[in-house]
Amino acid sequence: MIALAELNALQRDAFIGALAGIFEHSPWVPAGAAATRPYPSREALHAAMCQVVCEAGVEAQLGLIRAHPELAGKAAIAGELTAHSASEQRGAGLDQCTPAEYAELVELNRRYRERHGFPFILAVRGHTRASIIATLRERVEQPTEAEIATCLEQIEKIARLRLDDLVAD
């Protein structure tokens, strides 16, 4: 963990580097929040980074969504997840899927990506394999515009959890 005061005092590049994993493969998010330091709380820092995403425009937001791995997907099997993603997926038990659960996840992920053009995103902390699969079943048929908004909400939740794990007030 890093103290918020220490994080606020870092040089710009070090600040960005320290927060680079908060938004999956998207250091542009903390880069956008670096100029408005110091932050009085984790909540204020999180809000500032979420504002960067909100103001980035649809193409950047879609890039952020597409930077996320599929749940129990090829990157997980190949061991190519970021440390954050690997830990989150393990915590939800996705590394212990039965063959039937894994087959259903693969098929639902395929259908979701074909329909929407990006991976299904869910803040999995607190979820089980069954609840993840059920949520994916529900969301696969939603309109793409609604799924973009839902994915961005889930990314904000993921970022908040990661920030809470990394930064001490």
Side-chain angles (χ1 to χ4, degrees), residues 93-154:
L94 290 175
D95 61 334
Q96 299 172 348
C97 285
T98 66
E101 288 170 331
Y102 180 71
E104 185 171 12
L105 275 169
V106 167
E107 176 59 17
L108 287 168
N109 275 326
R110 182 194 64 73
R111 285 180 44 214
Y112 188 96
R113 187 177 284 278
E114 282 181 6
R115 179 174 173 89
H116 302 296
F118 47 80
F120 169 74
I121 299 174
L122 180 68
V124 297
R125 205 176 293 183
H127 277 274
T128 64
R129 292 187 311 271
S131 69
I132 291 166
I133 292 168
T135 302
L136 180 48
R137 270 191 219 121
E138 290 173 18
R139 288 180 44 199
V140 73
E141 298 301 330
Q142 295 301 312
T144 298
E145 297 76 24
E147 278 305 298
I148 291 170
T150 301
C151 285
L152 291 171
E153 289 169 8
Q154 292 298 308

Side-chain angles (χ1 to χ4, degrees), residues 28-88:
W28 60 269
V29 178
T36 54
R37 289 181 289 162
Y39 292 102
S41 64
R42 280 189 310 239
E43 293 80 11
L45 173 57
H46 180 256
M49 289 193 292
C50 291
Q51 190 63 35
V52 169
V53 172
C54 183
E55 293 174 357
V58 174
E59 288 307 312
Q61 292 168 348
L62 286 171
L64 174 62
I65 292 169
R66 289 183 182 120
H68 284 73
E70 286 183 346
L71 296 177
K74 292 176 188 173
I77 301 303
E80 298 171 348
L81 296 176
T82 64
H84 289 294
S85 287
S87 174
E88 291 157 358

